[in-house]
Amino acid sequence: MPRPKMVFRNFSLAFCKVNVILDPTVNRLISGSGDEDMSKRQHPDEYEESRNYVVDELALNGGLWPVRMGRLKAGPDYRFPQRMIDYYALHFVINGKVRHRFGDQHIELTKGDVFCAYPGIVYHHFIVPSGQPLEMIWVSIDGGQTPLLLEKAGFHPSVPYISGVIGKELETSLIHLFSQQEDNSSRRQVDLIAAIYRIFGLMIPQKNTEEPDAGPAGWIPRSIEYMNMHYTENINVQDVAAYISVHRAYFSKIFAEQIGMTPIQYLQKLRMERALQLLQQTRHSVSEIAMTLGYPDLYSFSRAFGKYYAASPSKVRENAAKSDGLLLHPD
């Protein structure tokens, strides 16, 4: 069951940068007030830094937004608190080893691995002694696209980790998150969201273009997606066949067998249903509607519409105005 959408009102992007220095003698956290204070008091081999964000209307109208991010370098004596969160948190292991416990499961991750903490699940993390300090970067996010992006990258609530995904480019992108001065500007917010999308882009596996789709079960859905997206751009069956790399005649034959209409009929159906909607629900002229649907001129559109619905566009509009909407069926 999808989680309820989080709704915020009247927020602007803000940040709270918290520098935390680990005291190696007693393993306790000491708050730092800034870079100068941090340079004086920070142990050279251990540090922790986090930044918290509050999103504005721009981010909330998008697919994802940042909640929190941070980085850590710590020795084997460091202790993580047990946590449960209301958002998603990606933990990137840059160096060392760490064990993640979630529910009755646990997984040990090492350099190059990524773990995702899902909302509503209790997690506990432990540093695994390995001769190397643990270096980790985490990025916490939320938003409607987040579950799908995680799925495409290979994460799942039952298997919330992927191994060996952090290459040089991804590591550089992660470090870059901390290289810019934080501010409350919309530009910085857009830059940060774009950087997070870039991180997902580097984690999502590339499809091998040399591998063919699994027969019609693979390329028919792709052809439908293509037509649904581009039917107003005057595409034809050859364009669709070229997109899925299938011979035009074979594509038309198999499509008709499985969908119950030819690709030409499917394109016509999309255009005519959209034309009817525009005629009945908008004030656009018939010429404007013809252009919107990719027809070269008013005559070719009116002829196609009349043949499909057995009524002219102007007659449909007239009847719609009289009856506040007229339901027509293809002839």
Side-chain angles (χ1 to χ4, degrees):
M1 179 180 296
R3 296 191 305 126
K5 184 177 179 181
M6 295 175 65
V7 179
F8 298 86
R9 292 289 183 267
N10 300 323
F11 280 106
S12 60
L13 176 69
F15 69 92
C16 176
K17 180 177 179 181
V18 181
N19 292 327
V20 180
I21 301 92
L22 300 179
D23 184 334
T25 60
V26 295
N27 190 34
R28 61 187 176 88
L29 301 183
I30 304 172
S31 297
S33 58
D35 293 338
E36 182 179 355
D37 183 56
M38 188 175 185
S39 65
K40 292 178 181 178
R41 301 166 60 184
Q42 181 180 8
H43 188 278
D45 294 327
E46 298 184 359
Y47 61 81
E48 182 176 0
E49 174 188 353
S50 65
R51 297 172 180 177
N52 300 325
Y53 296 90
V54 177
V55 294
D56 67 4
E57 201 67 23
L58 174 65
L60 290 173
N61 279 300
L64 64 79
W65 53 81
V67 177
R68 187 171 184 263
M69 67 182 184
R71 52 186 173 179
L72 166 79
K73 183 178 181 181
D77 293 332
Y78 179 72
R79 297 292 180 265
F80 290 94
Q82 185 169 278
R83 295 199 66 196
M84 182 175 69
I85 56 178
D86 290 331
Y87 43 83
Y88 303 85
L90 290 164
H91 298 76
F92 299 84
V93 183
I94 306 301
N95 204 6
K97 293 183 178 181
V98 62
R99 181 181 296 110
H100 293 275
R101 188 174 70 194
F102 51 104
D104 57 355
Q105 303 183 62
H106 63 87
I107 179 68
E108 186 173 299
L109 303 179
T110 188
K111 179 179 179 179
D113 300 341
V114 186
F115 178 86
C116 179
Y118 281 76
I121 299 176
V122 177
Y123 295 93
H124 205 170
H125 317 303
F126 307 88
I127 294 179
V128 179
S130 64
Q132 295 284 340
L134 175 65
E135 294 183 63
M136 194 164 63
I137 292 175
W138 63 90
V139 180
S140 301
I141 56 176
D142 209 341
Q145 287 184 339
T146 305
L148 183 57
L149 285 167
L150 290 169
E151 180 183 333
K152 287 184 176 294
F155 298 97
H156 189 273
S158 62
V159 188
Y161 56 88
I162 49 179
S163 301
V165 73
I166 305 176
K168 189 62 179 178
E169 190 174 1
L170 178 52
E171 183 176 344
T172 300
S173 297
L174 290 166
I175 295 172
H176 183 68
L177 291 173
F178 299 89
S179 66
Q180 300 181 29
Q181 180 65 35
E182 292 295 315
D183 58 53
N184 295 336
S185 68
S186 294
R187 176 172 178 174
R188 171 55 182 161
Q189 179 168 4
V190 171
D191 286 344
L192 184 58
I193 293 172
I196 296 173
Y197 275 116
R198 175 60 178 161
I199 288 168
F200 271 106
L202 292 169
M203 288 194 296
I204 294 173
Q206 283 189 321
K207 180 181 178 182
N208 188 348
T209 56
E210 296 180 359
E211 294 181 1
D213 289 317
W219 50 256
I220 283 184
R222 289 180 57 225
S223 71
I224 291 175
E225 290 174 358
Y226 184 80
M227 288 187 281
N228 289 347
M229 178 67 70
H230 297 287
Y231 71 91
T232 63
E233 299 168 19
N234 200 27
I235 60 171
N236 56 36
V237 178
Q238 180 56 46
D239 296 326
V240 183
Y243 172 72
I244 59 174
S245 301
V246 176
H247 189 275
R248 182 185 185 280
Y250 180 65
F251 164 59
S252 296
K253 176 178 180 296
I254 301 301
F255 188 96
E257 289 176 357
Q258 296 202 11
I259 305 302
M261 66 181 76
T262 66
I264 294 175
Q265 291 171 329
Y266 186 80
L267 282 169
Q268 185 79 337
K269 174 177 178 290
L270 291 173
R271 289 166 179 153
M272 291 298 101
E273 288 178 351
R274 179 59 173 159
L276 182 62
Q277 180 188 40
L278 291 172
L279 286 166
Q280 293 181 333
Q281 300 179 11
T282 76
R283 295 182 179 274
H284 293 301
S285 69
V286 177
S287 295
E288 289 170 340
I289 293 172
M291 289 188 295
T292 298
L293 297 174
Y295 285 89
D297 52 58
L298 176 60
Y299 174 74
S300 59
F301 167 68
S302 297
R303 183 176 61 179
F305 187 92
K307 184 177 180 181
Y308 193 84
Y309 283 117
S312 67
S314 57
K315 186 64 176 177
V316 168
R317 169 146 295 170
E318 179 184 340
N319 289 337
K322 291 179 179 178
S323 60
D324 193 27
L326 176 66
L327 182 62
L328 288 182
H329 298 280
D331 218 21

